[in-house]
Amino acid sequence: MQLKISKSTYRSILKSLISVALALVVTSVLFILTGANPVLAYYYMFVGAFGNFSLTVETLVRMTPILLVSLGLAVSFKCKVWNIGAEGQLYMGAMVGTIAAVSLGNTPVTLLISIALCILAGMAWAGIPALMKTHLGINEVITTFLMNYVAIYFVQWLIAFPFRSPDTLFPESAQLPAAAILPIMVPSTRLHLGVLIAIFLAIPLVYLLMMRSTFGYKLKAVGENPEAARYGGINIKRTMLMALVISGALAGLAGFFEVSGIQFRMRGSLSPGYGYTGIVVALLGQSNPIGVAISSIFIAAIYNGAFEVSRVLNQPQGIVDFIQGVLIIFVLSSESIMRFLEKKGVIKL
Amino acid sequence: MPLPFIFSTGIEEGLSKQASFSGGSEIDHLSDYALYVRGISKTFSNGVVANNDVTFGIIKGEVHALLGENGAGKTTLMKILSGCLKPDRGEIYVNGVKTRISDPRKAVQLGIGMVHQHFTLIPTFTVAENIALVSSSSRKLELKAVEDKVRHVSKSLNFEINPNTRIEELPVGARQKVEILRLLCQDVSILILDEPTSVLTPLEVEDFFRIIRQLKNDGKSVIIITHKVKEALSISDRITIMRGGKTILTIPSSQTNASELASYVVEGFIPNLKRVPTARGEPTLSVKGLFIKGDRGEMAVKGLDLSVHSGEIVGLAGVTGNGQKELVEALTGLRKVEGGSISLKTCDLANKPPNFVINSGISYIPEDRMRRGVILGMTISENLALKRIDKEPYSKKMLIDKEALDKSAKELISIFGIKASDPCATAGSLSGGNIQKLIVARELTNAPNIVIAEQPTAGLDVKASEAVHQKLLDLKSKGAAILLISADLDEIMKLSDRVLIVFGGKIVGEFSSDSLDMEKLSKLMLGSE
């Protein structure tokens, strides 16, 4: 295949790189204020993420839920449907998958059925706001966001009462049966099958869907100009509904992979906000599957690198959230920044 | 400093005229010009040279037409004068004083304002709110004062407008007046109007010309950008012709004629429409007792009947806002039908989704091309495949065949003469005229049964308009049924076999092309008969 990078692609890449650079500069100021050397801090961050083989694997493990969520959100954002509810969809997927796995016990189909059901659960949880948007005209930003709280507290109730493990003191589900655990691919690491599925199956499939299929075309048409899309015979309601449901499916899958690859039980603290991190990643990757994949590994590296920074330099863990927050501001303003730089002649394309 | 009256001519006739004017003219001092520019050049980042060493001047209190084809550089020059674009080179003098126009605000301070081809009013705001938005000098919103000013200024121009009407409720002609009002409320003395009549009906054009004359009497200078020779002759005092980014010559309207001007605008253009006599066939599209609601829930179409036969072009004439928009949207599946029937041969089309209508072989060239006809952020080849993306050869088993897309795009680009560097460039990189060519190319290929053409040549240059007309006539001779909705009566009369007049959501009259009574037609359009 011939790789041809068009001017607009080049510009998009540059836009994301500028956002990242600016976010890191602002974070440097924070490091200086808290008495740390920013160069050293970023060095430790890199070492913490990619310092050796097992740290690199850990970064990939961390990347998996972020990647799955953000690939889904890229689909939704492409047609300008703003799904803020991946966190809730992730929890619902994880919960339903866990219940299925625990109820089925050790059968040869446990894992497959659990995966199928976690996907369906994510789809259903995203389907509710999707239908509310297409049939009642209710803004999806509000519904998806608020449904996160419904999902998280509902799951906490489920693991505190009906599905509470009989053998522990904490509110958590019973341990998954062995047949529902994702196999480890590299011995003595946590590199489970889900990591490989995310990288080698989810990325190509979403790429095919968004960049090569007629559905991807329709997503883009609806996102760019819904009136022209309708005139062109595209069913815009169905396209928006599908986009939201697909993002829910991937979020649900991300949730169950965390249970069956990492935690082995459903817990209230399953996700440190992957559903929200996915928003940052999808925006930074500009809803392009390849861009999203690269952004996922970057954000995962910041997550894991921050542990090292806080350990060695005695910095707060909260820098992860700080960087994400700053990043979102710069990503959202990157178009204006780019135009400013072009106007001043700093960047010439 | 004396200045020659005619600028940068490359034509011999032009040179001889230059000699005859500059001698006897009393207007040869810089200070006589309200606005004078020279040596203006502008090259866009995509390499297009839009203006090349342009010199142009407008005298105080004159109406000046800037005449030229699409892409001749007229709009670019005017955008430079109104501060929307910055020139690469060149000097600008306002009332004889050299100046720089950094942005539209500065232009307005200098007394220069522009009404763009695509209006810039906020539809959900009222007239007064829209005007207050730009003219309010203090931080406090003084809506009352603005309303008074609107009433005062509109009265001086002899037209009625309620400052508290929301823009979206106004017809296009009135919106244009609001745009002009907005400039006048900012005390603009040089008004630049970009293709002002392209959206107006003949009656509205008359009214519009009346306002232009009124402005002139009030001492304002008016620049009208147009590609219509007749229009330039009828309204302006002087005409400047642009071609290929250069001003070819400036000439008083009284000293020229239409054919001379046309030969300057397009080198060597000879109108040459080929008509193949076609027998009228069976009725293809029939509409009976149609009722459709408008945007505000009122009944906009009230029991409308019409039929279009195969091998026939039916022109629908009428003042904008008499149900044409609603009718077209219902025919194309974009608007709900409340009552009555729409049928294509024996197939029922009422309340079917757009996709069903498209698959029945109905093509639609929409009036609002930017909002409806094209997706600016997608590529030219993607846009050309918009209605057929689910079909072979564009896609197989839900996967797009990009090569097939580009191949068919390249064919259409050459057949329809779309000026595009690459089928993979975004549609947004095309000029307005080329976007219309793209839409026409998409809609008129693949042998449609019915073509609904809504203002198909609005804003197109002479050659491009004729190409569209020829294509419509060709389709007709192949047995297509064509419904032409146009505010341009010349266009309707030129092409139609039958003319229907719509008023108040009903067909109120019908003429065959050989027995057209213009006076009766005008009265019917106004509903006074």
Side-chain angles (χ1 to χ4, degrees):
Chain A
M1 197 184 82
Q2 192 194 355
L3 196 69
K4 204 178 100 187
I5 294 179
S6 73
K7 220 177 191 176
S8 65
T9 316
Y10 181 66
R11 193 175 181 276
S12 303
I13 295 169
L14 206 60
K15 237 165 75 177
S16 292
L17 289 179
I18 289 172
S19 314
V20 168
L22 288 172
L24 294 185
V25 167
V26 171
T27 312
S28 302
V29 175
L30 183 83
F31 281 133
I32 293 167
L33 288 174
T34 55
N37 179 343
V39 178
L40 218 54
Y42 288 129
Y43 169 73
Y44 283 118
M45 198 174 267
F46 183 79
V47 168
F50 304 109
N52 59 39
F53 179 71
S54 65
L55 286 173
T56 308
V57 166
E58 271 305 300
T59 303
L60 289 178
V61 169
R62 173 73 72 182
M63 178 201 71
T64 300
I66 299 174
L67 176 64
L68 287 170
V69 166
S70 55
L71 280 174
L73 291 180
V75 172
S76 165
F77 290 0
K78 192 77 191 175
C79 81
K80 304 238 161 79
V81 171
W82 305 110
N83 179 8
I84 313 297
E87 187 77 356
Q89 291 143 22
L90 180 149
Y91 268 94
M92 290 309 276
M95 188 69 231
V96 170
T98 304
I99 292 171
V102 171
S103 322
L104 283 167
N106 280 315
T107 72
V109 290
T110 302
L111 186 59
L112 274 180
I113 290 181
S114 307
I115 288 177
L117 287 176
C118 80
I119 291 175
L120 283 176
M123 288 168 87
W125 200 250
I128 298 167
L131 286 171
M132 285 165 83
K133 178 181 176 65
T134 55
H135 287 74
L136 303 171
I138 300 172
N139 189 317
E140 78 281 5
V141 173
I142 295 161
T143 49
T144 53
F145 177 68
L146 292 178
M147 279 177 69
N148 285 340
Y149 294 98
V150 179
I152 291 166
Y153 289 117
F154 180 55
V155 164
Q156 284 183 356
W157 176 79
L158 286 174
I159 54 176
F161 298 103
F163 294 100
R164 188 173 188 141
S165 167
D167 54 4
T168 59
L169 292 170
F170 306 107
E172 54 187 17
S173 78
Q175 178 130 13
L176 293 197
I181 303 288
L182 287 163
I184 295 294
M185 305 315 287
V186 178
S188 73
T189 68
R190 295 204 292 173
L191 190 85
H192 55 80
L193 180 63
V195 180
L196 301 187
I197 291 177
I199 297 174
F200 295 110
L201 208 61
I203 296 177
L205 275 180
V206 171
Y207 184 86
L208 206 64
L209 182 78
M210 288 183 72
M211 312 301 275
R212 291 281 176 263
S213 79
T214 53
F215 178 71
Y217 177 99
K218 291 173 188 175
L219 272 183
K220 196 173 170 191
V222 172
E224 292 277 345
N225 185 344
E227 174 65 27
R230 193 166 88 96
Y231 154 84
I234 295 169
N235 188 332
I236 51 177
K237 284 185 177 176
R238 191 164 69 197
T239 307
M240 287 177 164
L241 193 119
M242 290 279 288
L244 233 170
V245 165
I246 288 170
S247 64
L250 282 159
L253 186 66
F256 182 64
F257 276 6
E258 278 304 280
V259 178
S260 84
I262 304 293
Q263 308 262 357
F264 311 126
R265 290 172 191 276
M266 183 67 201
R267 293 195 171 95
S269 60
L270 182 75
S271 156
Y274 292 139
Y276 299 112
T277 299
I279 298 171
V280 185
V281 174
L283 290 174
L284 182 62
Q286 296 179 31
S287 296
N288 175 299
I290 306 296
V292 163
I294 297 167
S295 307
S296 299
I297 189 105
F298 171 70
I299 296 285
I302 288 179
Y303 256 97
N304 281 10
F307 292 122
E308 187 71 3
V309 176
S310 64
R311 196 177 61 80
V312 181
L313 298 176
N314 198 23
Q315 291 288 309
Q317 271 283 309
I319 49 169
V320 176
D321 295 329
F322 182 85
I323 294 180
Q324 282 189 44
V326 176
L327 203 49
I328 250 194
I329 293 169
F330 284 121
V331 168
L332 292 179
S333 49
S334 62
E335 182 59 38
S336 320
I337 295 170
M338 195 74 187
R339 281 207 199 121
F340 175 79
L341 292 175
E342 280 168 338
K343 205 173 155 192
K344 292 285 165 197
V346 180
I347 293 169
K348 274 188 199 128
L349 287 177
Chain B
M1 187 179 72
L3 283 166
F5 189 76
I6 291 171
F7 321 110
S8 57
T9 78
I11 290 173
E12 281 173 44
E13 291 93 324
L15 284 169
S16 65
K17 284 210 168 78
Q18 175 178 11
S20 67
F21 294 140
S22 57
S25 176
E26 64 269 45
I27 310 151
D28 47 23
H29 286 89
L30 206 52
S31 56
D32 291 320
Y33 289 97
L35 178 66
Y36 181 78
V37 297
R38 81 175 147 209
I40 295 280
S41 294
K42 173 77 185 175
T43 306
F44 285 113
S45 56
N46 59 7
V48 173
V49 183
N51 279 180
N52 183 5
D53 196 22
V54 167
T55 301
F56 174 77
I58 175 160
I59 302 160
K60 284 164 198 162
E62 78 167 338
V63 178
H64 196 126
L66 191 58
L67 184 66
E69 279 206 296
N70 274 353
K74 307 176 300 254
T75 302
T76 303
L77 178 61
M78 290 305 126
K79 280 188 174 167
I80 287 171
L81 299 184
S82 59
C84 302
L85 286 174
K86 280 204 191 80
D88 300 334
R89 270 188 307 283
E91 296 162 3
I92 299 173
Y93 297 85
V94 176
N95 293 322
V97 182
K98 191 173 173 182
T99 185
R100 284 183 59 197
I101 303 177
S102 49
D103 54 73
R105 190 175 290 265
K106 179 76 191 294
V108 168
Q109 280 168 10
L110 292 165
I112 307 166
M114 178 160 175
V115 176
H116 294 266
Q117 201 174 352
H118 305 285
F119 296 161
T120 56
L121 298 165
I122 300 173
T124 51
F125 275 21
T126 65
V127 173
E129 282 167 345
N130 263 293
I131 291 172
L133 196 64
V134 291
S135 65
S136 190
S137 49
S138 66
R139 284 176 188 278
K140 225 173 84 194
L141 182 65
E142 286 161 333
L143 222 45
K144 204 86 209 128
V146 175
E147 282 170 23
D148 291 341
K149 188 157 190 186
V150 169
R151 283 203 186 87
H152 176 76
V153 177
S154 62
K155 203 172 172 192
S156 74
L157 290 175
N158 290 320
F159 69 84
E160 294 266 325
I161 197 141
N162 179 357
N164 295 316
T165 319
R166 283 199 287 166
I167 298 299
E168 59 192 0
E169 294 167 17
L170 292 171
V172 179
R175 288 184 200 191
Q176 185 175 52
K177 287 178 194 164
V178 176
E179 289 267 5
I180 294 172
L181 264 185
R182 184 165 66 165
L183 293 180
L184 295 176
C185 288
Q186 297 175 83
D187 298 318
V188 160
S189 58
I190 302 168
L191 292 96
I192 302 171
L193 310 170
D194 192 359
E195 298 282 358
T197 60
S198 65
V199 291
L200 301 179
T201 61
L203 290 158
E204 285 173 317
V205 170
E206 275 309 306
D207 194 36
F208 169 75
F209 280 180
R210 185 184 59 75
I211 287 173
I212 297 301
R213 286 187 198 105
Q214 183 72 46
L215 288 171
K216 185 189 158 185
N217 290 343
D218 295 346
K220 308 276 184 194
S221 309
V222 182
I223 304 174
I224 292 178
I225 305 179
T226 183
H227 66 278
K228 289 182 189 158
V229 172
K230 265 195 224 165
E231 191 174 296
L233 277 172
S234 63
I235 186 67
S236 63
D237 301 313
R238 291 195 304 152
I239 298 169
T240 291
I241 291 158
M242 277 193 89
R243 195 172 72 209
K246 291 184 175 179
T247 39
I248 300 294
L249 89 158
T250 299
I251 188 167
S253 315
S254 54
Q255 300 185 14
T256 184
N257 58 55
S259 61
E260 186 190 31
L261 286 177
S263 70
Y264 288 132
V265 172
V266 192
E267 248 177 329
F269 174 75
I270 305 149
N272 184 26
L273 269 189
K274 289 186 200 72
R275 290 164 200 270
V276 181
T278 314
R280 182 170 127 157
E282 292 297 303
T284 303
L285 175 73
S286 25
V287 170
K288 286 197 183 75
L290 202 62
F291 284 86
I292 311 161
K293 274 186 183 164
D295 287 339
R296 279 163 285 152
E298 82 292 0
M299 211 46 94
V301 172
K302 304 162 194 155
L304 184 140
D305 299 299
L306 69 79
S307 69
V308 188
H309 295 242
S310 75
E312 175 185 54
I313 299 181
V314 172
L316 193 65
V319 178
T320 310
N322 277 292
Q324 297 98 318
K325 181 184 134 202
E326 289 79 5
L327 171 67
V328 167
E329 287 182 349
L331 292 178
T332 51
L334 295 169
R335 189 178 283 268
K336 218 179 121 209
V337 169
E338 304 295 329
S341 72
I342 303 172
S343 42
L344 166 64
K345 289 171 187 147
T346 54
C347 168
D348 180 28
L349 282 182
N351 290 327
K352 289 286 194 310
N355 199 22
F356 184 92
V357 175
I358 292 165
N359 289 335
S360 311
I362 298 189
S363 276
Y364 168 33
I365 300 168
E367 177 179 3
D368 196 344
R369 61 189 74 149
M370 293 301 185
R371 209 169 65 87
R372 179 169 287 170
V374 72
I375 301 169
L376 295 174
M378 291 176 78
T379 67
I380 295 164
S381 42
E382 283 173 332
N383 268 290
L384 284 167
L386 176 62
K387 291 187 166 178
R388 281 181 282 276
I389 196 68
D390 282 324
K391 296 186 180 61
E392 291 198 30
Y394 299 113
S395 66
K396 282 186 194 102
K397 293 193 176 121
M398 291 182 70
L399 283 185
I400 291 175
D401 183 347
K402 196 169 173 303
E403 275 171 28
L405 227 65
D406 287 346
K407 187 170 158 266
S408 114
K410 275 183 190 145
E411 281 171 21
L412 291 176
I413 284 173
S414 77
I415 293 171
F416 285 83
I418 302 168
K419 274 184 200 154
S421 49
D422 181 357
C424 296
T426 58
S429 69
L430 297 175
S431 72
N434 280 301
I435 284 175
Q436 181 70 351
K437 285 186 196 170
L438 183 156
I439 296 168
V440 168
R442 182 182 63 216
E443 298 305 316
L444 299 190
T445 41
N446 290 37
N449 292 325
I450 298 176
V451 178
I452 296 166
E454 199 178 12
Q455 320 285 4
T457 59
L460 287 190
D461 60 53
V462 193
K463 273 185 190 165
S465 297
E466 176 148 301
V468 172
H469 288 162
Q470 187 64 62
K471 196 76 198 169
L472 288 172
L473 288 170
D474 291 349
L475 282 172
K476 170 195 153 181
S477 68
K478 284 178 194 146
I482 296 166
L483 180 63
L484 173 69
I485 298 102
S486 179
D488 184 352
L489 264 187
D490 291 342
E491 179 172 46
I492 286 203
M493 291 188 300
K494 189 160 139 196
L495 296 178
S496 308
D497 302 301
R498 277 191 297 144
V499 179
L500 304 179
I501 292 100
V502 62
F503 178 80
K506 277 185 209 147
I507 301 297
V508 292
E510 178 177 340
F511 296 95
S512 77
S513 60
D514 41 21
S515 64
L516 213 52
D517 178 348
M518 282 310 283
E519 195 187 341
K520 197 168 175 222
L521 187 142
S522 288
K523 280 184 179 161
L524 284 167
M525 279 173 74
L526 282 173
S528 56
E529 191 157 290

